């Protein structure tokens, strides 16, 4: 019942603890109604201010000024009903009214200017400085575009007062002014205290983070842009009071080429389409939506399903038209009210922006929507009908445009194929596409049609084997071999047959004996064929006859199959040379010898690379390194630089194992650069970025590690390699968390573990991810969310029969998080669960820590009234410690005793039982002293608490000073200068007293 002032005040207190949202706002409205009948207006004043705050922070700017008018009326009629804080709020909230009125186009500018004039008059009468009034004048000028320079000078040159906006908010406005003037670099410098975390408020840094995204992109600071998107968006999503900021994150997604991420944000914020209380912020949101949808429709995806206003289904094109119509209406209304084009100009400037990056910025987030290729785009985005791929020698060929003429296209594909250039794949795919859709037909200028059919079958077989479609690949190679035989090209036929067998050798279920026998038969045929006809000495392929190259391909196939068998044999032979290893050595030796005899260095490199990989797998890293360096020399001599990416990546792995990350980074960058330069779509780009992430992490280059692991995850997504993408993101989150960037880590982990979209991979890595997420949320102060994650994890690990200690850990952390969130009933249940888990799978250190934390949190929540409960928790901790056997491993008895004594000292000190507290602090000092060098830091902290009790509690300053003097000297002798400085600072404070 809310029939007494006391009941309403208590209800107001409870409502003040709720997060801003519909429930808090509705309750605030009800409490105003409940307060109106009371004779004294003091409760009504409090209720109205609470309601105004609820409107302000949920974007109900149409309603906020109406409430303030009632507050102002009460201020004039009954000023004694206002507390000191409430009196301060009357003047503070004049600013809210001005900015709220600017949000509503139906409010005339004359009325807004009238409010500013009234604010000036009341501030002057109360003796307040005019800087906040000048700030409101600036906001009006910024909105309308009139008199901006003078208004800015009037505001920026005045000193701050106690009624000025908080420092963080003022920084946002100053930086925004610089951005509008085109000074991105200057704005980012101004923003540094907010973006760097030195200053903030309830609205910051999230408002500044949203506004800094594009300046960061425009100045090339993409790592920071990624981070501020990850952390900033979490703080604004779904918040009706942050519509404008959500729109800015949507705009960022569009302009950083992360349209898929933008569509997910749109879906998460669907209720914002119904938030109409702040029209100007709504226009900002709708403009961000429009930027995103315009990008999609321009790329040909107008029919893509998207999330829009509830009540119907939307396509991108339909929602764009709907949003554009409403945004046009709002823009027209504001410009009509203002009699300027400022609002419309800002909107048009946002809509005119083009993507700021050539490629999507990897965000490290798992998204169910990846960027779609533009409709009508050519293969891999390269327009059809442009100039041919280079005119120089094949050794210089790199990724280029697709020839327009069909004959030129086939000839270029053959030229690249003869050179072994990876760019051939793109061209053969285009040949097949043109033949399939009837755009081209065979031309006799290309030779027999059967030759082209054989080449295409050969290419299809290669694509199929990459997709593990062995049977279909073998069928294509059989067809190619038959066609080559019919054309009188026996070496090509042998090559096709040998590759069919070699590729099947990767299948563990294949008949390896049959494969080996088949390859032996082909090798015998090759030997017979060599005696039957002489080598071709033509120059078809960089000075090597085609038959020479096909012969070496046959040898390569036999070596590849032997390599596969040797890899399978390694675990059984434990480093000794088994039959498969001996067979491989013979095959690789033959390939290398023949390649050297025929002067074909790239096949020398192939033999060396196989040998290096087997050596590395066997633990002979020195030989592996030597072989890879020799392979790279052979690649350099071959005139085929595109073949260097794989040996470089393997060598980089060895460099990482040798703890030479700088060398690994150099190798990996070159491997990736060559793969991109030569259009090598088969190179394992995503795993290489994972390696780069590891190498950067070893070099303490956190930004580099984040960049590379994010790129790896995005590329795994494109390959539909979900498990690998998840693993890359878990590694990314670990790097972020380890470097102290908990908010970034939380954003990444939330995307991995989000609801039903979480991948069904190995349960334990995902459980570790959930533990890291829970701890990150706890560190960010999101205690209830952290507790929910801990509880989910506890339910998961409870089924792990072989790892009960994990349940003990998780239950204990869940209990502490629930207590931090002040969910005491749930915390008590989790506490008991942790104690029960400890009985089955002991972890005394953890349980003692939990019990000490409960003692601390109980005193924090209840003060002296919680003393008995807190002491009971500590008695339980003593019992846990006493039950640990003396010879127990992984438990330091001195640490357990010291921890409990320390906490009991603080609890008793909080209850002002200082003599008992001092005794406990001295017991903690003695216990930690037993730990030797491991206990020095803890001992110093216990000394600090003892001194505080002596000085502040018992007024024994001389004893406290002596204690601190001795302890600081001890810390310096132990090499702990920071601890010594802390003790010295307290000592100096007591000396002054």
């Amino acid at each position: 019942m809310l029939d007494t002032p006391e009941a309403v005040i208590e209800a107001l207190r409870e409502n003040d603890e709720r997060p801003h949202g519909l429930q808090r706002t509705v309750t605030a409205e009800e409490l105003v109604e409940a307060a109106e009948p009371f004779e004294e207006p003091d409760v009504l004043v409090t209720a109205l201010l609470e309601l105004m705050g609820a409107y302000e922070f949920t974007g109900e700017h149409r309603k906020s000024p109406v409430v303030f008018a009632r507050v102002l009326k009460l201020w004039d009629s009954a000023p004694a009903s206002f507390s000191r804080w409430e009196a301060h709020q009357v003047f503070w909230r004049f600013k809210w009214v001005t900015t709220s009125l600017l949000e509503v186009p139906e409010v005339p500018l004359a009325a807004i200017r009238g409010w500013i004039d009234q604010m000036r008059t009341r501030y002057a009468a109360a003796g307040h400085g005019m800087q906040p009034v000048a700030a409101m004048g600036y906001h009006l000028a910024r909105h309308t575009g009139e008199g901006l320079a003078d208004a800015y000078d009037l505001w920026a040159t005045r000193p701050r007062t106690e009624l000025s906006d908080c420092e963080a908010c003022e920084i946002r406005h100053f930086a925004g002014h610089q951005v509008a003037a085109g000074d991105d670099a200057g704005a980012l410098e101004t923003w540094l205290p907010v973006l760097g975390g030195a200053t903030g408020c309830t609205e910051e840094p999230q408002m500044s983070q949203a506004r800094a995204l594009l300046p960061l992109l425009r100045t090339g600071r993409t790592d920071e842009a990624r981070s501020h998107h990850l952390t900033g968006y979490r703080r604004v999503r779904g918040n009706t009071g942050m519509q404008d900021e959500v729109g800015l994150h949507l705009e960022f997604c569009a302009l950083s080429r992360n349209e898929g991420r933008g569509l997910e944000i749109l879906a998460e914020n669907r209720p914002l389409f119904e938030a109409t209380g702040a029209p100007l912020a709504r226009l900002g949101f709708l403009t961000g939506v429009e930027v995103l949808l315009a990008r999609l429709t321009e790329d040909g995806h107008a029919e893509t399903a998207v999330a829009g206003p509830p009540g119907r289904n939307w396509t991108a094109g339909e929602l764009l038209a709907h949003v554009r119509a409403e945004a046009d209406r709002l823009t027209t209304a504001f410009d009509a009210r203002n009699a300027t084009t400022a609002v419309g100009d800002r909107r048009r400037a946002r809509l005119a922006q083009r993507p700021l990056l050539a490629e999507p910025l990897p965000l490290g987030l798992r998204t169910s929507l990846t960027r779609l290729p533009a409709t009508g785009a050519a293969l891999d985005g390269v327009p059809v009908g442009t100039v041919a791929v280079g005119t120089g020698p094949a050794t210089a060929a790199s990724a280029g445009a697709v020839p327009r003429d069909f004959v030129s296209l086939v000839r270029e594909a053959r030229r690249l194929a003869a050179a072994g250039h990876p760019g051939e794949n793109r061209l053969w795919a285009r040949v097949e596409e043109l033949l399939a859709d009837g755009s081209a037909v065979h031309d006799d200028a290309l030779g027999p049609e059967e030759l082209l059919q054989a080449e295409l079958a050969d290419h299809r077989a290669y694509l199929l084997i990459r997709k593990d479609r062995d049977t279909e690949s073998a069928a294509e190679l059989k067809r190619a071999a038959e066609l080559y035989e019919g054309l009188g090209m026996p070496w090509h036929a042998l090559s096709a047959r040998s590759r069919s067998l070699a590729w099947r050798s990767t299948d563990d279920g294949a008949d390896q004996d049959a494969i080996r026998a088949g390859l032996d038969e082909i090798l015998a045929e090759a030997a017979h064929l060599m005696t039957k006809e002489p080598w071709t000495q033509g120059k078809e392929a960089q000075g090597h006859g085609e038959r020479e190259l096909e012969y070496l391909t046959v040898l390569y196939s036999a070596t590849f199959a032997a390599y596969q068998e040797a890899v399978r044999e390694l675990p059984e032979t434990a480093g000794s040379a088994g039959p498969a290893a001996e067979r491989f050595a013979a095959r690789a030796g033959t390939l290398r010898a023949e390649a050297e005899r025929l002067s074909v260095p790239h096949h020398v490199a192939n033999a060396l690379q196989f040998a290096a990989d087997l050596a590395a797998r066997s633990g002979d890293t020195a030989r592996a390194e030597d072989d890879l360096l020799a392979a790279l020399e052979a690649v350099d001599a071959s005139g085929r630089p595109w073949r260097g990416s794989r040996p470089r990546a393997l060598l980089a792995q060895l460099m990482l194992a040798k703890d030479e990350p700088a060398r690994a980074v150099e190798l990996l960058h070159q491997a990736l650069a060559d793969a991109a330069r030569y259009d090598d779509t088969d190179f394992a780009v995503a795993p290489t970025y994972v390696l780069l992430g590891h190498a950067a992490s070893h070099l303490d280059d956190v930004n580099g590690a984040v960049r590379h692991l994010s790129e790896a995850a995005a590329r795994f997504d494109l390959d539909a390699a979900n498990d690998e993408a998840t693993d890359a993101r878990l590694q990314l989150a670990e790097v972020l968390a380890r470097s102290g960037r908990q908010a970034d880590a939380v954003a990444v982990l939330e995307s991995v573990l989000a609801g039903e979209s979480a991948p069904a991979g190995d349960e334990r890595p995902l459980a570790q991810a959930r533990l890291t997420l829970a701890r990150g949320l706890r560190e960010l102060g999101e205690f209830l969310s952290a507790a929910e994650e801990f509880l989910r994890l506890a339910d998961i690990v409870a089924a792990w029969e072989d790892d009960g200690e994990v349940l003990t850990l998780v239950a204990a952390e869940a209990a502490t998080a629930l207590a931090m969130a002040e969910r005491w009933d749930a915390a008590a249940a989790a506490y008991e669960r942790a104690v029960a888990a400890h009985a089955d799978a002991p972890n005394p250190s953890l349980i003692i820590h939990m019990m000490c934390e409960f003692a601390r949190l109980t005193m924090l929540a209840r003060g002296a009234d919680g003393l008995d409960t807190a002491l009971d928790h500590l008695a339980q901790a003593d019992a846990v410690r006493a039950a640990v056997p003396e010879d127990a491993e992984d438990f330091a008895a001195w640490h357990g005793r010291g921890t409990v004594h320390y906490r009991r000292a603080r609890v008793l000190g909080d209850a002002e039982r200082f003599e008992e507290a001092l005794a406990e602090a001295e017991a903690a000092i003695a216990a930690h002293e037993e730990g030797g060098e491991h206990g020095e830091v803890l001992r110093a902290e216990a000394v600090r608490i003892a001194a505080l009790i002596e000085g502040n509690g018992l007024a024994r300053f001389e004893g406290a000073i002596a204690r601190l003097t001795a302890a600081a000297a001890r810390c310096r002798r132990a090499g702990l200068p920071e601890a010594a400085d802390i003790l010295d600072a307290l000592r100096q404070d007591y000396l002054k007293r």
Side-chain angles (χ1 to χ4, degrees):
M1 294 291 291
L2 298 174
D3 53 0
T4 66
E6 292 76 16
V8 174
I9 288 294
E10 182 59 32
L12 284 166
R13 286 198 189 99
E14 291 178 2
N15 200 41
D16 187 57
E17 294 177 357
R18 292 190 176 98
H20 284 290
L22 182 61
Q23 181 183 2
R24 178 167 175 171
T25 301
V26 170
T27 302
E29 290 172 337
E30 293 170 350
L31 293 175
V32 167
E33 292 181 11
E36 285 174 337
F38 301 142
E39 183 176 348
E40 295 297 327
D42 51 346
V43 178
L44 180 58
V45 167
T46 305
L48 286 169
L49 289 171
E50 162 66 20
L51 178 57
M52 187 180 181
Y55 286 152
E56 177 72 17
F57 291 107
T58 53
E60 291 288 350
H61 292 285
R62 292 180 186 275
K63 300 178 180 180
S64 183
V66 177
V67 177
F68 186 69
R70 294 184 65 184
V71 171
L72 207 55
K73 188 173 181 180
L74 288 170
W75 172 252
D76 289 337
S77 62
S81 298
F82 289 72
S83 69
R84 177 178 294 182
W85 179 83
E86 289 166 343
H88 178 82
Q89 288 299 301
V90 170
F91 292 96
W92 183 269
R93 296 192 185 190
F94 261 105
K95 299 180 296 183
W96 290 11
V97 172
T98 302
T99 53
S100 291
L101 294 175
L102 281 174
E103 287 274 351
V104 183
E106 294 86 358
V107 177
L109 286 185
I112 300 171
R113 292 191 176 102
W115 270 103
I116 296 175
D117 289 342
Q118 185 178 170
M119 178 182 177
R120 181 180 295 105
T121 299
R122 288 182 179 267
Y123 269 48
H128 294 306
M130 291 293 114
Q131 194 260 13
V133 180
M136 295 305 102
Y138 168 75
H139 294 322
L140 176 59
R142 173 83 178 88
H143 176 70
T144 63
E146 290 189 327
L148 182 59
D150 290 342
Y152 178 79
D153 288 342
L154 190 62
W155 164 50
T157 56
R158 287 177 179 267
R160 285 174 50 79
T161 76
E162 64 174 353
L163 288 169
S164 297
D165 281 342
C166 80
E167 185 178 0
C169 289
E170 283 210 337
I171 286 173
R172 178 180 75 246
H173 296 313
F174 282 126
H177 184 81
Q178 290 172 286
V179 171
D183 184 9
D184 286 337
L188 292 171
E189 183 70 23
T190 299
W191 255 317
L192 189 59
V194 175
L195 298 180
T199 185
C201 65
T202 57
E203 296 178 334
E204 290 295 350
Q206 59 267 33
M207 292 183 77
S208 287
Q209 285 176 310
R211 285 159 176 75
L213 291 172
L214 295 189
L216 286 166
L217 283 186
R218 287 193 292 261
T219 54
R221 294 162 64 171
T222 53
D223 292 334
E224 294 166 79
R226 176 194 300 109
S227 177
H228 288 306
H229 171 65
L230 295 181
T231 60
Y233 172 67
R234 287 190 71 251
R235 302 179 70 150
V236 304
R237 65 183 173 197
N239 187 339
T240 55
M242 293 280 177
Q243 292 181 83
D244 204 355
E245 287 67 30
V246 173
L248 291 170
H249 281 279
L250 289 169
E251 179 180 63
F252 164 79
C253 289
L255 300 182
S256 66
R257 296 187 182 274
N258 280 284
E259 292 90 339
R261 165 71 168 163
L263 291 180
E264 287 197 339
I265 291 176
L266 198 61
E268 288 179 335
N269 292 275
R270 199 172 188 184
L272 296 190
F273 283 105
E274 299 180 303
T276 59
L280 188 60
R282 179 174 178 78
L283 177 59
F285 168 66
L286 295 176
T287 302
V289 175
E290 192 174 351
V291 171
L292 173 67
L293 296 177
R295 288 291 312 136
L296 285 170
T297 56
E298 286 173 20
D299 276 354
H301 303 300
E303 299 305 313
T304 299
V306 298
R312 58 160 289 186
N313 295 325
W314 297 88
T315 65
E318 291 168 341
L319 183 57
L320 176 61
H322 173 81
V323 166
R324 182 169 286 161
E326 184 178 357
D328 283 344
R329 179 183 60 77
L330 285 171
T331 302
T332 300
F334 277 112
D335 283 347
R337 188 269 303 270
N338 300 336
T340 68
T341 61
V343 173
D345 291 343
R346 284 192 288 272
R347 175 167 171 257
R348 284 183 286 274
R350 288 179 67 182
L351 295 175
Q353 297 174 107
R354 311 305 300 165
L356 296 169
L357 303 174
E359 298 291 337
L361 173 65
L363 299 176
L365 300 175
R366 181 178 185 272
T367 174
S368 59
L369 299 163
T370 55
R371 187 170 188 267
L372 300 172
T375 299
L379 192 67
D380 288 337
V382 180
V384 178
T386 51
V387 295
V389 181
T391 55
T395 53
S398 59
V402 179
R404 179 192 301 273
D405 175 67
F406 183 72
V407 171
S408 299
L409 175 64
V410 173
R411 285 175 174 166
E412 183 65 5
R414 285 173 174 170
R415 186 176 73 85
L416 294 183
H421 192 292
E424 67 168 301
N425 293 323
R426 186 161 52 90
L427 301 190
W428 285 125
R430 183 60 180 160
V431 170
E432 187 122 44
E433 178 186 321
L434 292 174
L435 290 172
D437 66 15
S439 301
V441 294
H442 182 265
D443 191 307
D444 290 341
L446 296 171
E449 185 174 358
E450 290 80 7
L451 175 58
L452 182 56
Q453 291 173 357
E455 291 166 326
L456 290 173
D458 215 330
H459 180 253
R460 284 194 295 272
Y462 174 70
L463 296 179
L464 288 165
I465 201 66
R466 284 175 58 197
K467 299 176 181 177
D468 296 324
R469 292 161 64 176
D470 301 6
T471 303
E472 296 166 84
S473 176
E476 290 290 348
L477 283 171
K478 180 181 178 182
R479 170 173 164 74
E482 291 172 349
L483 288 167
Y484 286 134
E485 288 282 6
L487 290 165
M489 301 172 68
W491 282 109
H492 288 75
L494 279 180
S495 171
R497 287 166 53 200
S498 71
R499 280 179 282 124
S500 175
L501 289 169
W503 292 345
R504 283 177 55 204
S505 71
T506 62
D507 182 359
D508 290 339
D511 184 344
Q512 300 298 328
D513 291 337
I515 291 171
R516 195 182 315 118
L519 284 167
D520 286 343
E521 180 181 338
I522 291 173
L523 288 170
E525 289 184 48
H528 174 71
L529 194 57
M530 287 177 67
T531 62
K532 186 177 178 182
E533 59 179 291
W535 286 115
T536 299
Q537 296 300 321
K539 302 292 182 182
E540 297 96 331
Q542 293 184 272
H544 304 301
E546 286 186 349
R547 299 178 189 184
E548 295 173 272
L549 292 175
E550 299 302 337
Y551 162 64
L552 288 174
T553 298
V554 170
L555 296 183
Y556 173 87
S557 298
T559 305
F560 178 83
Y563 160 80
Q564 294 294 334
E565 281 198 87
V567 168
R568 278 190 289 270
E569 186 184 66
L570 279 175
E572 300 174 8
T573 59
S576 61
E582 292 175 356
R583 188 162 41 252
F584 165 76
R587 294 284 192 240
T590 301
L591 173 61
R592 180 175 179 180
E594 287 296 273
E596 289 174 344
R597 180 177 69 85
L598 296 170
S599 301
V600 184
H602 72 269
H603 273 304
V604 175
N606 288 335
L608 287 165
Q609 188 175 326
F610 282 133
D613 185 67
L614 277 177
R617 290 171 184 264
S618 303
D620 190 351
T621 55
R623 179 184 171 187
E625 183 178 348
D626 289 343
D627 283 348
L628 286 171
L629 290 171
L632 286 170
E633 288 181 5
V635 167
D636 289 342
S638 72
R640 300 185 176 200
W642 48 85
R643 289 186 171 272
S645 293
R646 288 160 184 77
R648 283 193 177 88
L650 289 172
L651 184 57
Q653 293 182 58
L654 294 180
M655 294 301 101
L656 277 174
K658 288 178 62 179
D659 197 23
E660 296 184 21
R663 175 65 176 141
V665 166
E666 180 185 345
L667 288 163
L668 292 168
H669 275 305
Q670 187 172 351
L672 287 167
D674 284 348
R677 178 184 178 189
Y678 299 114
D679 201 17
D680 189 353
T681 57
D682 291 337
F683 181 66
V685 173
T688 303
Y689 273 111
V690 171
L691 285 175
L692 256 179
H694 292 166
S697 183
H698 282 296
L699 290 169
D700 294 325
D701 177 9
V702 175
N703 284 336
V706 169
R707 190 182 314 123
H708 301 317
L709 289 170
S710 298
E711 182 70 40
R715 289 179 178 272
F716 280 131
D717 284 341
L718 290 173
D719 294 337
N722 296 331
D723 290 345
E724 291 83 353
T726 295
D727 184 62
R729 289 191 170 93
L730 296 182
Q731 294 179 54
L732 169 61
E734 182 182 352
V735 168
L736 290 166
R738 197 168 58 239
S739 64
R741 290 165 58 175
Q742 290 291 351
D744 298 57
V746 163
V748 171
L749 290 169
E750 284 179 336
S751 78
V752 173
L753 299 168
E756 297 180 0
S757 65
D762 184 356
E763 189 175 50
R764 289 180 187 260
L766 291 179
Q768 178 62 50
R770 199 171 292 282
L771 178 62
T772 305
L773 172 60
R775 287 172 171 170
L777 289 166
R778 182 181 62 198
E779 188 167 323
L780 294 175
E782 299 178 33
F783 301 125
L784 186 57
S785 296
E788 290 170 351
E789 291 297 337
F790 279 127
L791 291 172
R792 287 192 191 98
L793 183 56
D795 291 340
I796 292 170
V797 303
W800 295 0
E801 297 179 1
D802 60 335
D803 208 347
E805 281 195 18
V806 177
L807 177 59
T808 306
L809 181 149
V810 174
E813 297 212 39
T816 304
L818 285 164
M820 289 176 168
E822 299 188 8
R823 299 296 197 270
W824 289 103
D825 290 343
Y831 185 102
E832 293 304 321
R833 185 180 191 181
V835 171
H838 168 69
D840 293 332
N843 190 333
S845 297
L846 182 71
I847 295 300
I848 289 170
H849 174 76
M850 176 192 73
M851 292 171 169
C852 289
E853 275 294 278
F854 264 69
R856 178 183 72 84
L857 293 167
T858 298
M859 293 299 292
L860 190 64
R862 298 172 55 192
D865 292 340
L867 177 62
D868 290 342
T869 302
L871 291 175
D872 181 60
H873 286 306
L874 294 172
Q876 292 182 56
D878 272 330
V880 170
R881 176 186 55 78
V884 180
E886 291 185 6
D887 59 348
E889 296 181 3
D890 300 324
F891 180 75
W894 65 267
H895 187 278
R897 287 198 312 278
T899 298
V900 179
H901 283 307
Y902 172 82
R903 182 51 57 194
R904 190 178 283 114
R906 299 207 62 168
V907 164
L908 290 166
D910 290 343
E912 299 186 2
R913 289 167 54 171
F914 297 123
E915 292 290 359
E916 297 167 83
L918 182 58
E920 289 294 327
E922 289 177 335
I925 294 169
H928 289 313
E929 191 154 358
E930 293 179 27
E933 62 179 299
H934 301 294
E936 283 296 333
V937 173
L938 295 171
R939 182 188 184 280
E941 170 59 13
V943 168
R944 186 183 72 86
I945 293 301
L948 284 170
I949 294 168
E950 273 188 308
N952 295 350
L954 298 170
R956 299 174 188 167
F957 293 108
E958 290 184 1
I961 290 169
R963 185 189 299 275
L964 291 165
T965 301
R970 176 173 177 145
C971 285
R972 286 200 166 82
R973 289 195 300 272
L976 300 171
E978 291 183 13
D981 290 345
I982 291 171
L983 296 173
D984 274 338
L986 182 56
R987 174 177 173 273
Q988 291 298 324
D989 180 51
Y990 283 169
L991 286 170
K992 291 176 183 176
R993 297 194 195 183

